[in-house]
Amino acid sequence: MKPADSVRQFTVGADDDGARLDRWFKRHMPQVGFATVSRWARTGQIRLDGKRADVADRIAAGQIIRVPPGGEAPEKGKRVRERKPLTAEQTALAETMLIVKTPAALVLNKPPGLATQGGSGTYAHVDGLLDAYAGDDEPRPRLVHRLDKDTSGVLLIARTPGSAAYFSKHFSGRSARKIYWALVIGVPDIDDGLIELPLGKQPGTGGEKMMVDESEQGQSARTRYRVVDRAGNRAAWVELQPLTGRTHQLRVHMAAIGHPIVGDGKYGGQDAFLSGSISRKMHLHARRLLIDQPGDARAIDVTADLPEHFAASMDSLGFDPADGARLPQAPPPPPREVLKQQAKAHAKQVRKERRGERRSRGPAEDKPLKKRGPTKGKGSPKPAAGK
């Protein structure tokens, strides 16, 4: 690297393809503050392939970034994150969860009862175990989406900042296909259907709870479901495919059509529990994930085994997991009006993030995952919403 008192030039690597320019600075020149980067861009001192660049511009592999001299904060101000040592038990748990490892991603099978992220009163979580997957000279893996604490199954972790931006873009763009299995109370009248009910936060509730909200404030939410098998009229095994990613979407949608997920007392109340040998734990499992990888790498297609309580309930109700092996058809593209609404909502969210960015004088994340911190209800920092 050239000294700080001279103009510097950098070639964008494949790992940074598609990232925002301000995120590139945060990754590769963290000693240069965001205010300085913004001033350089505003005055035309930062150039991308010889042209003026804005901090929000997306960069591409192979482009040349011209960086002016100076801007470094004093060395004493540099903070290096220290890794928290993990216990032997935590390391063993991390190893047992790992299903697939690629240069870009780690795919875990999250057990029920383990939170994805920490928060107030939550000390055991997946995010706290991620140092177990990184070598001394490797970046710390990053969460790019989440599952509810009591939901089990496939959870993808990005291994590098560049792959985090890539996967986050695919999750938010809905090109990733997620297939869930659930046991529900009763049997839906229609074997293969689409639930389209907007969702919003339920007012006056302590903590995070959602509801069907058909007012203008409600957010569009769509779920495909298919009844795989039934145990008389007592319960059904359903395959769920979220076409949007709202908080608790699958749980609220199934309860809204009168068939709450077994064990989901939050949305189904006492009606969500079966008598006999069926566990009172929630029976919602992220069974399969299909998602492309950066570059020419082979797409990820991974399946997570059922947790013990779910497998026991399947056996007790006479369901054979082999019956759910087929891949559901890809959902049809949403209607043009829906695409317009989504585009408007996305533009509104971008404007909102930029306003927050100006207030904080810090870079906005270029992925759904926000900075970690204590949680308090819905307003806490979290990755993309789980089910």
Side-chain angles (χ1 to χ4, degrees):
M1 180 179 291
K2 291 184 178 180
D5 57 357
S6 63
V7 173
R8 293 151 287 181
Q9 290 190 340
F10 304 90
T11 301
V12 178
D15 199 38
D16 292 307
D17 187 59
R20 281 172 50 127
L21 182 60
D22 56 1
R23 295 297 301 163
W24 181 91
F25 273 93
K26 188 172 183 180
R27 295 169 188 169
H28 300 283
M29 301 185 72
Q31 70 277 19
V32 180
F34 179 72
T36 300
V37 175
S38 297
R39 187 180 72 252
W40 283 347
R42 196 167 53 249
T43 57
Q45 297 182 72
I46 298 178
R47 299 276 172 164
L48 194 58
D49 281 348
K51 298 179 181 179
R52 291 179 66 129
D54 184 81
V55 291
D57 287 346
R58 297 283 175 175
I59 58 179
Q63 288 185 310
I64 304 298
I65 301 175
R66 175 197 182 276
V67 179
E72 280 76 359
E75 192 65 28
K76 65 179 181 180
K78 187 176 181 180
R79 298 177 63 184
V80 178
R81 178 189 174 278
E82 294 184 4
R83 294 185 178 181
K84 184 179 179 180
L86 299 177
T87 64
E89 183 180 2
Q90 288 175 316
T91 302
L93 175 59
E95 291 175 352
T96 59
M97 288 194 298
L98 184 62
I99 308 174
V100 171
K101 182 177 181 179
T102 76
L106 303 163
V107 185
L108 313 181
N109 185 356
K110 188 188 83 66
L114 179 66
T116 302
Q117 247 186 327
S120 179
T122 302
Y123 305 104
H125 46 83
V126 175
D127 193 39
L129 303 175
L130 296 185
D131 281 331
Y133 303 112
D136 294 335
D137 57 345
E138 295 177 339
R140 188 178 192 273
R142 302 184 180 197
L143 296 168
V144 290
H145 70 126
R146 70 182 179 98
L147 296 176
D148 291 339
K149 181 178 179 179
D150 294 321
T151 301
S152 56
V154 178
L155 183 68
L156 184 139
I157 310 293
R159 296 189 64 190
T160 67
S163 63
Y166 178 90
F167 289 127
S168 295
K169 187 176 181 181
H170 280 255
F171 277 113
S172 62
R174 308 299 158 206
S175 58
R177 295 185 65 189
K178 295 178 285 186
I179 293 101
Y180 290 74
W181 282 2
L183 299 184
V184 301
I185 301 294
V187 182
D189 293 334
I190 300 173
D191 286 343
D192 196 331
L194 175 67
I195 305 170
E196 295 187 274
L197 292 171
L199 303 179
K201 184 176 180 181
Q202 183 170 318
T205 55
E208 188 179 62
K209 189 171 183 180
M210 307 298 288
M211 67 176 188
V212 173
D213 182 359
E214 298 187 284
S215 70
E216 292 183 359
Q217 286 71 41
Q219 294 182 305
S220 171
R222 302 164 67 233
T223 300
R224 286 187 68 176
Y225 75 88
R226 178 177 71 92
V227 176
V228 182
D229 203 353
R230 57 190 291 169
N233 294 321
R234 184 185 183 201
W237 164 22
V238 295
E239 176 185 82
L240 302 170
Q241 194 172 0
L243 307 183
T244 52
R246 308 305 178 197
T247 301
H248 298 173
Q249 175 178 317
L250 303 181
R251 299 167 61 183
V252 180
H253 272 178
M254 293 312 298
I257 65 171
H259 302 285
I261 294 172
V262 174
D264 187 9
K266 186 168 190 172
Y267 291 105
Q270 288 302 312
D271 293 337
F273 300 96
L274 291 173
S275 59
S277 61
I278 304 303
S279 170
R280 292 180 65 84
K281 293 182 180 180
M282 189 157 70
H283 290 69
L284 179 61
H285 180 71
R287 175 65 172 178
R288 189 173 181 182
L289 172 67
L290 297 92
I291 189 169
D292 290 334
Q293 292 197 84
D296 297 327
R298 185 176 179 180
I300 290 172
D301 181 356
V302 65
T303 299
D305 290 338
L306 292 169
E308 184 177 344
H309 78 278
F310 202 133
S313 296
M314 292 274 285
D315 184 64
S316 179
L317 293 169
F319 297 147
D320 182 356
D323 293 337
R326 78 171 178 85
L327 179 65
Q329 292 181 347
R336 189 172 180 178
E337 286 303 314
V338 173
L339 291 174
K340 285 183 179 180
Q341 292 175 4
Q342 291 175 349
K344 287 181 180 178
H346 176 70
K348 182 178 179 180
Q349 182 62 28
V350 169
R351 290 195 298 271
K352 187 176 180 181
E353 289 176 356
R354 287 181 176 174
R355 285 199 299 270
E357 185 177 302
R358 288 195 294 271
R359 286 195 298 269
S360 64
R361 299 191 68 81
E365 294 285 351
D366 61 351
K367 55 184 177 16
L369 178 62
K370 299 181 180 178
K371 292 183 180 179
R372 293 176 293 137
T375 61
K376 187 177 181 182
K378 184 179 176 183
S380 58
K382 293 182 179 179
K387 306 295 165 279

